[in-house]
Amino acid sequence: MPISTAEVEHVALLARLKLSPEEKVAYTEQLNAILEYMDKLNALDTTDVEPTAHVLPLRNVFRDDVARPGLPRERALAGAPAASEGQFKVPRVV
């Protein structure tokens, strides 16, 4: 089922994006091309394919999580544009 320009406009509204008419047409075409490709993939027989989380065999390469002293508060706040009572002061978000 193809995506309509109205659906692209709706998603843009939800994402608070202002799209030009040319961008709306371009995104509609691009999303429809993606959906067409997904239909081709859905047509493949995958009954003998094992589910995978990743195509390559990966292992965890992260270091062990070890507690260590953190950055002193004064040093952390030194580059802050504003601080109050030992905390970052930011504009109110409503």
Side-chain angles (χ1 to χ4, degrees):
M1 186 163 120
I3 299 283
S4 68
T5 305
E7 290 171 311
V8 170
E9 290 171 348
H10 179 70
V11 172
L13 177 70
L14 293 174
R16 296 185 178 358
L17 297 174
K18 184 177 180 181
L19 300 178
S20 69
E22 296 82 18
E23 289 174 318
K24 292 175 188 176
V25 171
Y27 284 129
T28 302
E29 292 172 357
Q30 291 172 4
L31 289 170
N32 282 319
I34 292 168
L35 291 176
E36 286 176 24
Y37 187 73
M38 293 305 296
D39 282 339
K40 289 180 185 178
L41 292 176
N42 285 334
L44 293 174
D45 179 21
T46 58
T47 53
D48 295 329
V49 178
E50 280 189 46
T52 58
H54 200 280
V55 295
L56 300 174
L58 297 177
R59 61 180 182 80
N60 188 354
V61 294
F62 297 117
R63 63 173 168 75
D64 289 335
D65 192 12
V66 178
R68 58 184 182 171
L71 192 62
R73 182 181 298 183
E74 295 78 25
R75 188 166 166 212
L77 293 172
S84 175
E85 299 178 10
Q87 300 175 359
F88 292 99
K89 187 172 182 179
V90 296
R92 183 176 179 189
V93 178
V94 179

